[in-house]
Structures are given as structure tokens and as C-alpha cells.
Amino acid sequence: MAHTRGKAFVTATEDIYAGRKPEHSWGNSQYRIDSEGDWGSNQWIYAFENPTPDKTITGVEIVKKDGNVFMFGMTASDVPAHPLRYSRRQKALLELKGDPRNALDLIDIDLGHIMSVTPQPLYKNAVWEEAAAFGNDWYPGGRNGKYIVEFNAHDDAILYLGEDRTPLAVKDIAKNPDIFIPPAEIYVTLKVCGENGRPVPVKVHAHGTGGEYLPPRNRHRIPNPYWFEDYSTDYVHGDHLCTYIDGTASYLLPLGEVFFEVSKGFEIMPVRRRFVIEPDTKEITIHLKRIVDWRSKGWVTADTHVHFLSTQTALLEGEAEDVNVVNLLASQWGELFTNIGDFTGSGETINANGEYMVRVGTENRQHIMGHISLLGYDGDMILPLTTGGPDEAAQGDPVEITLTQWAEQCRKQSGLNILPHFPNPRAENAAAIVSELIDGVEVTPGWGGNFASINPYYLSDWYRYLNCGYHVAAVGGTDKMSAGQLLGEMRTYAKLDGLFTYQSWKDAVIAGKTFTTSGALIDMRVENQSMGGTINLSNGGNLTVMWDAASVTIPVTAIELVINGDTVDGAKFDGLLGEKSGYFTVNIKESSWIALRVRGKTDGGPEIITAHTSAVFVIVDGKPIFNAPDAVTILDQIEGATAYVKTLGTKAQESQFKLALAALSGAHRALHNKMHAAGHFHNHSPEDIHSGHEK
Ligand SMILES: [Zn+2]
Ligand SMILES: [Zn+2]
């Protein structure tokens, strides 16, 4: 064998996060293990057994037979077994003292290899099967100073633990049940079946008694959660590691207890099962149960915002998360262009039963003006993908286009215009909405972590536009850019008229028949109008707001009635699961918008805003919904965008520069006129005093 040992290392990014200079380039660091020996300059070692150990060696004679060799050295050993032959992979749960950022350096071995050193995830194995107590978002928190160490070794090897290198004989590990983790060596097939008894795509996690992650044989043992580093089919939720399978998977499992978790979106009960693996176990099966079925009522789910995955991986993850429509978005990031070859300008990638599909659109981005997702448009890719310089466009790229112009072009190509992670970055969102070119805004947690609350600040900015009569739908998208983000964690429910096609999904979003959610389902009707609709009243009056709610994965604690941004009524629940209906009665005196906001709380978690409906507009006596103070802040924002293009943004060629300014001034004028028509006057900022108006 080669004279040097293989050596485990961490990825380049993990080195950087630990404050070290990376030892390997990014790609090569994904191996996590050096090949044995150094390419090109290997020397070789071998061990001979002394055939007559009872005799004293007095000398060694080396005889040349054919060709020359260099001989560098010789040593002796008294280990009974071949000293260069090591065991299969073994695991132990060991306490290692020292800097946790350098986990691999906290242990060494003399005759063997260390493969990985990972903190022990603290699972509640004793109550593992009580799935409902954990919801969809349960993962092990905390650290106890113990690590799962994976190694292979000679029988007589010694491990050296912690920074003080306390010795531990490998032989002694199996005798100590507190540190022994049984090796994963039993070949077992997992089948996860839907209600028709056939395998269905799911997200799956498995661990053993020590908390050690047990991946399928062809999945990452140590998934990489960093940005653009790995768009494998894995999902990393803190210490909780998962992967996506198509319904069957091949595993190597340890003897004894193993703990599986399978989930599939918001309408199917997540399953947590304990199995005992015997030497002859060949197959284990998990059956899923759909608790609520809103697809049968015409609803489809969508993630409006996914990056980097291949179309087929996006389809697998979409089906596994019960997300019917995945919008995969090509884009540019400085000098990096992603998913460009996946863009076809027509058609979807669709699964066998036609229930799940992926459509490639683009996210066109500018770091000050804002981002806009152009979904499902036909024809040529709308360019530029990014504009105005770093860190979205490349250095020196001028502000050659505005969101408003991108949105106009997307409309011409029959696409859907979504403002992602609304309202950030925010300068030009205002102009695009006021120009009535935006179909939906992503009302999400932002980048605040998986299954976090819908951001109240994001909500308040959306309310501002509703308050000024801009009927923009709420949608949910994840901006998934790594294995650390969950496709469909925040999703859009849209209610279709008729058959499910990508076009009928787009039509439902344009009509505003949507709600956005991280778990709870909520439908609202005001009298006979569904979300997105408008009711006309000649005078005010009493209206009935009916709701249907359902939740499988997050207990609902409140449903709140929101009118013009204020919470005017609500129903409280002690952790509602399953389905329930109810209504509120409201007296409407002036033109208003009505929506429902849903709060929920998992065991041990904070109460969060988990869902929000799109609005129903009520127009009284033909008067538009309008709120002057909000309109002023929207005008401010358009003025800010205009000032940016005029003074700071890298200037485009004259014709483009003029068109960009025209798009902004057109939006400004539209809202400004609306404001004056409604009889509201305000102080004009000096940049934008128009002829015909006195300050
Ligand atoms: Zn973005
Ligand atoms: Zn994005």
C-alpha cells in the first residue's frame, strides 16, 4: 500500500467558517478524503510475516531479482494480525474536549483512518413515534460535547481523544454500550407507499441509536448546506439530515433499533417509525395517510421561487413535498449564470400522472431597484437577467432596464410577474405595482430560517399597496439556493377553475385565488366572492366572511380577520389540527379590503404567522380603496428609485436611460393623479414638482 495514509478533511467553506485558510479547492474539498498516497510520488510499503517467530532475527538480506528498487526503510511490529489491513467502517460515540470548529482535529488514531467527526444530534428516541407532537419542523437542538466518530482501524489500534489525546483502545469500544454504535451493514430496502399502495416520492430521514444519520446508499453521508455548493437531493435542517427518494431506497442499516421519519407536504401526516433490524431483515415499508385533500377541491400548490436544481431533481423534490408546480428560475449572479440551459421558453417537465410539474422562468435582478420573478413566459429569455452592477449584475453593467420594463415584456410573453422576497430589495417595487404589472408578491419569512414566521414587516409593506387599491395576490416561494433550504417550505395554494395545467395555475394566481402558507390551509369567501374577487356595494352593510381551515403539520392557534391592515376580529384555538369552518360578520362602511391571517405554534416553538390569504376588495359607492399616508410613502419610494437612476446607478446608453426614467415617471404620475383625484394633497419633493401643481 501507499506509504501515506488517506486523510479526512473538511470542505473549503467549512475551513473558511472555522477561520482557516482552505487546504483544498472547493470542488476537490467535496471528497472530504485524500486518496492514499500522493499522485506521482508514491512509495510503497508491505508487511511480511516472520515465518519462524520463535527464532531471533540476526539479519536481513535483500536480493535483486529483476529491475532496481529504492529501499527507504524497515521496521518491526508485534501486532498479531497484518498491520496494514484495517477493518470496515466502525462508529463510536465519544466525548471530545476542544474547539468544536476543528472537530476532525479532536481525535487521532495510530493504525487506521478517521472518516468523520460530527456532533451527536439529540433525538428523542423514546417518544419518536409520537409524530404529531413534533409537527413538520422538529429537529434536534443543542449539543452535549459528544461526537459520532466514524473510522476504520486495525484491531490493535489506539484512538487518541480530545486535545489532550486520551488513549482509547479500539478493542474496548464494543465492550462499552455507552460508546459503541453498531455498524450499518444489513442490506435493507425501504418502501414508502401512498394510499394506493404504490411507492411515492417523499422526504426521508433515518438515524440509529447514537443519533447517527443513516442515508440511502447513494446519498451524501455528510450533505453540504452551503450556497450554490451542492444541489443534491438532500435537505439539511441544522443537525437533522434528510434526503428525497422516489418511493424506494437502498440502505445499509445497523442491527437493532433504527428511527425513520417520512414527510410529504402539508396534507399528509409526517410519519415517525421505529424499526428493529434483524440479521434477516430485507425490506421495511412505511404507509402514508392523507389527512386532508384540498387537491380534490381544486387547489394546487406551488413554489414560485427555486434556484440551481436540475429540472428532474426539482420535479422529484416537488412531488416529494406535494408541491404541484415548481418554478425553477434561471438567473445571473455577478459573473455566474445558472439554469440557463434548462430554460426552454415553452412547456413543462411533468411527472407520470401529470400532477407535478416544473417550469423554468427567470429571476431578473437589480440590487437597489429590486428583483422580479418572471414565471412561465413563452419565447426568448428576457434579458438582461441582471442589471446595474454587483452584486447581482457584473461590474460596470449599467442600469439598462427597470422592473417595470421587465414586467411589461413578461406580460407580452404571457408570463406571470411576481415580486420575490417582497419587499427587499425595494426601490422600484413600488413603480412596478403602481403600473399594475405585478400579479403576486412573495409574502414569506424572508431569509429568517426554515418554518419561521411570515415576516410582519413584509406583510405591512404589502398591506400598504392593498390600502391604495392595488389588488396584488399573496404567493409563497422559498428562494431555495442550497441543501440548507427546503423546497415548498413556504408555498402558494391556488384554486383552479377546471383542469390542472400550468396555464390554469397562472390564471388562478392572476385572479388572486391564492393563499400562502408554511403549514396551515385557509380558504376565505366574503359572501359569494372568493379571494381575489371584488364586491360592489351601493351603501355599506354587513358582510359574512366564511372560512375553511385545515392543518396537519402545525397546530393553529388563531385565525384573524384583517380589514385595511387592522385586525378587527379573530378566533382563538388551543392548537387546532384537522379541518374546521367558521365565519365572521363585519360591518363595512367604506371601500375596504378583507383578508385572513393564520397563526400557529408547534410543540416548544414560538407562535408564528403561518398563513395569509389574498384579499377580497369591497367597493362602496364606486369609491376606490385609498389611503393617502400610504400613497405618500409609495411616491417617496418611486422618487428614491428615480433619484438612484438619475444620480448613482451606472448610466446606460441615452435611449435606455430615458426609457428607464420614463417607466418610473409614468408610475409616479399614475399614483400622483390617483391621489389628487381622491382629493388628497401633499408636499412635493423638489425633484418631482410637476407643472400644473402648486406646492
Ligand atoms: Zn431575489
Ligand atoms: Zn431568488
Side-chain angles (χ1 to χ4, degrees), residues 305 363 365 371 420-421 479:
H305 197 165
E363 185 185 4
R365 304 155 60 245
H371 297 185
H421 39 72
D479 206 2

Side-chain angles (χ1 to χ4, degrees), residues 613-631:
T613 69
S614 287
V616 167
F617 274 25
V618 183
I619 302 298
V620 179
D621 192 24
K623 288 208 179 84
I625 299 172
F626 197 77
N627 178 306
D630 282 336

Side-chain angles (χ1 to χ4, degrees), residues 305 307 329 331 333 363-366 370-373 392 419-421 424-425 442 447 479 481:
H305 197 165
H307 294 294
L329 304 181
S331 198
W333 323 74
E363 185 185 4
N364 297 51
R365 304 155 60 245
Q366 211 278 352
H371 297 185
I372 184 165
S373 298
E392 323 297 26
L419 292 178
H421 39 72
N424 291 322
E442 277 173 9
W447 297 283
D479 206 2
M481 297 182 280

Side-chain angles (χ1 to χ4, degrees), residues 487-610:
L487 187 148
E489 169 237 330
M490 199 74 215
R491 62 186 65 179
T492 311
Y493 270 74
K495 194 168 192 181
L496 306 189
D497 290 325
L499 287 177
F500 171 37
T501 61
Y502 189 80
Q503 183 62 46
S504 66
W505 175 76
K506 276 199 292 193
D507 292 342
V509 175
I510 291 167
K513 294 179 179 174
T514 63
F515 64 88
T516 177
T517 178
S518 64
L521 280 48
I522 181 76
D523 188 11
M524 175 187 77
R525 288 171 317 286
V526 182
E527 299 296 326
N528 289 324
Q529 276 297 338
S530 64
M531 293 172 288
T534 300
I535 294 171
N536 286 293
L537 299 176
S538 44
N539 299 303
N542 283 339
L543 297 175
T544 307
V545 180
M546 284 159 288
W547 53 262
D548 298 309
S551 191
V552 176
T553 60
I554 178 165
V556 170
T557 51
I559 296 175
E560 297 169 332
L561 178 66
V562 182
I563 298 185
N564 298 338
D566 295 327
T567 310
V568 300
D569 202 351
K572 293 236 181 257
F573 305 98
D574 187 19
L576 171 70
L577 290 168
E579 298 195 78
K580 194 172 176 70
S581 299
Y583 67 92
F584 301 106
T585 306
V586 288
N587 186 264
I588 297 291
K589 295 192 176 69
E590 56 179 12
S591 295
S592 304
W593 60 268
I594 301 172
L596 295 177
R597 189 169 55 207
V598 182
R599 294 178 188 268
K601 184 181 181 311
T602 49
D603 202 25
E607 187 182 66
I608 62 168
I609 301 170
T610 176

